[in-house]
């Protein structure tokens, strides 16, 4: 049961999430909101699923459903005219989610590029952003967020039991899904407003603060890359800076990171 009273009390946004839609059962909240392009108010909707039957992860993977325990939601961001902002909107979502979890629980997630959240090295949340064009040509980024909030170790499917965790597993107490969602939306709206007005520096700076990737050896695969190197930095465009050999620096803008140490 998703408590809308708690959510409405904590949400302080102008637009994001002003229209919460609670879906008892849906294939995927990303798919659902992508079917709402004829709604002029689409950017005020947040679609929250009690149960997803075909939740999507990045790179064609499945996002497992654990009914009623976790958070699965999507919103639509109208593509901005400000240069650089669209590429960074998913990084901003990751930062907003870390801060929402820290503000509402004792957990301190680390960000793994581009937007996985880890607790104790295990995945606690992931973000899938998809660029879509409406029939009348308007462009949107659909941002779908899955957070393992209150699922217990035994409720995870076998395939992910050893690599996933939940806030409850780490903190030992039940966390409020409503509070995490409301605070995420508050943070995300402030960050996207800030990016539009003043550029992406603040988002990059906050991403760097919450990641523990720097100095680690990693493999990057996918999106045409297959390389191994040491993660050095994130540049001002939001690309990951990787040194593959002394003085040989590559800027990575997408791909899958696997830590090797
Ligand atoms: C990933 O880490 O692979 C991204 C996972 C994103 C999962 C969320 S759950 C809500 C939204 N609807 C989906 O079908 N996927 C995203």
């Amino acid at each position: 049961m998703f408590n809308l009273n708690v959510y409405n009390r904590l949400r302080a946004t102008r637009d994001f999430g002003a229209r919460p839609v609670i879906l008892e059962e849906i294939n995927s909240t990303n798919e659902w909101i992508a079917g709402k392009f004829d709604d002029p108010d689409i950017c005020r909707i947040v679609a929250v699923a009690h149960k997803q039957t075909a939740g999507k992860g990045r790179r064609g993977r499945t996002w497992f459903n654990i009914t009623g325990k976790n958070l699965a939601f999507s919103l639509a961001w109208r593509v901005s005219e400000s240069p650089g902002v669209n590429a960074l909107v998913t990084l901003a979502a990751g930062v907003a989610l870390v801060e929402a979890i820290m503000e509402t629980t004792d957990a301190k997630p680390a960000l793994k590029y581009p937007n996985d959240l880890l607790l104790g090295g295990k995945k606690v949340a992931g973000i899938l952003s998809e660029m879509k064009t409406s029939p009348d040509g308007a462009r949107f980024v659909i941002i779908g967020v899955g957070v393992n909030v209150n699922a217990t170790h035994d409720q995870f499917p076998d395939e992910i039991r050893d690599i996933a965790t939940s806030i409850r597993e780490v903190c030992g107490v039940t966390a409020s899904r409503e509070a995490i969602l409301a605070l995420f939306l508050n943070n995300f709206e402030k960050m996207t407003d800030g990016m539009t007005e003043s550029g992406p520096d603040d988002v990059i700076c906050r991403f760097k603060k919450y990641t523990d990737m720097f100095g680690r050896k990693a493999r990057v695969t996918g999106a045409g890359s297959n390389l191994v190197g040491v993660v050095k930095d994130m540049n001002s465009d939001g690309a990951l800076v990787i040194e593959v050999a002394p003085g040989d620096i590559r800027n990575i803008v997408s791909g899958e990171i696997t830590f090797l140490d």
Side-chain angles (χ1 to χ4, degrees):
M1 154 85 180
F2 191 86
N3 188 329
L4 277 174
N5 290 333
V6 174
Y7 171 81
N8 286 327
R9 191 157 38 79
L10 295 173
R11 183 190 60 81
T13 57
R14 178 189 62 244
D15 292 317
F16 289 149
R19 277 178 53 195
V21 176
I22 312 301
L23 303 160
E24 273 309 305
E25 181 173 328
I26 194 71
N27 53 356
S28 152
T29 52
N30 271 30
E31 292 297 312
W32 185 88
I33 205 159
K36 297 290 163 210
F37 287 139
D38 57 350
D39 188 326
D41 231 11
I42 182 173
C43 293
R44 293 165 65 84
I45 297 175
V46 63
V48 184
H50 193 60
K51 175 178 178 182
Q52 283 190 124
T53 54
K56 300 190 294 181
R58 292 178 68 230
R59 309 201 163 275
R61 288 190 287 252
T62 299
W63 185 256
F64 289 98
N65 174 69
I66 300 176
T67 305
K69 296 276 173 185
N70 291 337
L71 250 183
F73 65 90
S74 300
L75 55 87
W77 151 270
R78 194 179 300 274
V79 162
S80 160
E81 299 306 320
S82 308
V85 168
N86 299 310
L88 294 174
V89 79
T90 51
L91 295 184
V95 172
L97 189 59
V98 167
E99 293 183 348
I101 291 172
M102 291 201 309
E103 284 157 8
T104 52
T105 74
D106 290 334
K108 295 194 172 15
L111 277 168
K112 178 178 166 224
Y113 185 87
N115 44 30
D116 282 353
L117 273 66
L118 308 181
L119 280 174
K122 295 184 175 183
K123 184 151 167 170
V124 70
I127 299 172
L128 172 68
S129 35
E130 301 181 282
M131 184 73 85
K132 301 267 183 191
T133 305
S134 70
D136 63 2
R139 292 197 305 142
F140 294 89
V141 182
I142 304 296
I143 296 163
V145 181
V147 189
N148 299 330
V149 181
N150 290 318
T152 51
H153 189 245
D154 53 297
Q155 290 169 329
F156 285 113
D158 291 345
E159 300 94 301
I160 58 167
R161 189 164 294 135
D162 294 334
I163 54 169
T165 192
S166 71
I167 295 170
R168 186 194 152 137
E169 279 295 314
V170 169
C171 297
V173 289
T174 301
S176 165
R177 300 182 303 148
E178 297 82 356
I180 294 170
L181 177 56
L183 270 70
F184 165 80
L185 294 166
N186 295 350
N187 295 340
F188 187 53
E189 189 166 89
K190 276 194 211 135
M191 292 182 81
T192 50
D193 284 353
M195 281 202 297
T196 306
E197 280 157 24
S198 335
D201 290 359
D202 179 53
V203 171
I204 307 275
C205 180
R206 278 150 86 177
F207 189 100
K208 288 182 179 184
K209 182 166 139 196
Y210 299 126
T211 190
D212 59 3
M213 298 179 72
F214 300 140
R216 296 186 69 179
K217 191 172 178 190
R219 179 182 297 282
V220 184
T221 51
S225 299
N226 188 356
L227 56 85
V228 171
V230 176
V231 185
K232 290 291 195 186
D233 200 1
M234 174 173 277
N235 73 17
S236 56
D237 298 326
L240 209 56
V241 178
I242 305 224
E243 186 173 50
V244 293
D248 185 352
I249 299 288
R250 312 285 173 91
N251 291 336
I252 300 298
V253 289
S254 76
E256 185 78 6
I257 310 288
T258 311
F259 293 122
L260 301 175
D261 57 11

